[in-house]
Amino acid sequence: MIPDFRGLPELRELHLRDNNFRGSIPTTIGLLSNLSWLSIQQNQFTGTLPSQLSFLTEMEGLELNDNSLRGRLPVSLSELSKLRILDVSGNFFTGSVPPEYEHLSSLAALSVSRNSLDGTISDAICNEVVHVVADCTLQCSCCKGCW
């Protein structure tokens, strides 16, 4: 488990890749108001994404891939206007990619492969995002490849 984040409001980047961390992502992550990059891939995080991630308005890179996260992709991530990279591949997310992600006008890369997602990645998202990787089960006119 990673520590509570109280007292670290100036932290700008947090890289915890491949550390065998377990448990939920702490809700106190939302207190890191200056965080621009969160890289927690290749751990064993479980549970759903905390809604407090939407408080991270400086976020440019969110790498959550290869964990055991589940639930639906939160619509609230569409509020992260500076987000350039969103990688949630290799988890257990269900449902569809929220069409509200089309509002992520800075998003250059979206990776949602190796989940249990269904539906369509909207053309509006395709018009905004340069590089999209998804499962072949998703309908996607702009995907560069599928798994």
Side-chain angles (χ1 to χ4, degrees):
M1 186 168 144
I2 57 178
D4 190 307
F5 293 110
R6 290 181 181 93
L8 297 171
E10 297 304 314
L11 188 66
R12 300 212 188 277
E13 294 188 11
L14 183 59
H15 299 273
L16 299 173
R17 178 184 183 148
D18 200 14
N19 277 291
N20 204 29
F21 285 115
R22 299 172 186 267
S24 300
I25 299 171
T27 58
T28 53
I29 194 87
L31 297 174
L32 302 176
S33 57
N34 288 304
L35 196 66
S36 65
W37 207 276
L38 178 61
S39 177
I40 60 171
Q41 72 265 38
Q42 297 174 334
N43 282 289
Q44 295 180 35
F45 286 109
T46 57
T48 59
L49 292 179
S51 61
Q52 290 82 357
L53 283 175
S54 66
F55 300 164
L56 304 177
T57 57
E58 298 299 315
M59 186 62 64
E60 295 178 25
L62 196 50
E63 297 173 310
L64 308 174
N65 52 297
D66 299 308
N67 280 287
S68 293
L69 297 167
R70 58 187 67 248
R72 294 185 172 272
L73 293 174
V75 171
S76 60
L77 292 183
S78 65
E79 298 170 22
L80 302 177
S81 62
K82 296 181 181 180
L83 195 63
R84 293 184 296 120
I85 296 172
L86 176 58
D87 189 347
V88 295
S89 61
N91 283 289
F92 299 102
F93 290 112
T94 57
S96 60
V97 175
E100 291 84 357
Y101 286 11
E102 73 180 73
H103 301 299
L104 293 169
S105 59
S106 298
L107 196 63
L110 173 65
S111 184
V112 295
S113 63
R114 298 179 292 122
N115 281 289
S116 295
L117 297 169
D118 56 28
T120 301
I121 295 180
S122 73
D123 288 338
I125 291 174
C126 287
N127 292 338
E128 291 294 328
V129 182
V130 174
H131 186 77
V132 179
V133 178
D135 293 319
C136 296
T137 56
L138 286 171
Q139 294 178 342
C140 176
S141 64
C142 62
C143 289
K144 303 290 189 225
C146 63
W147 293 88

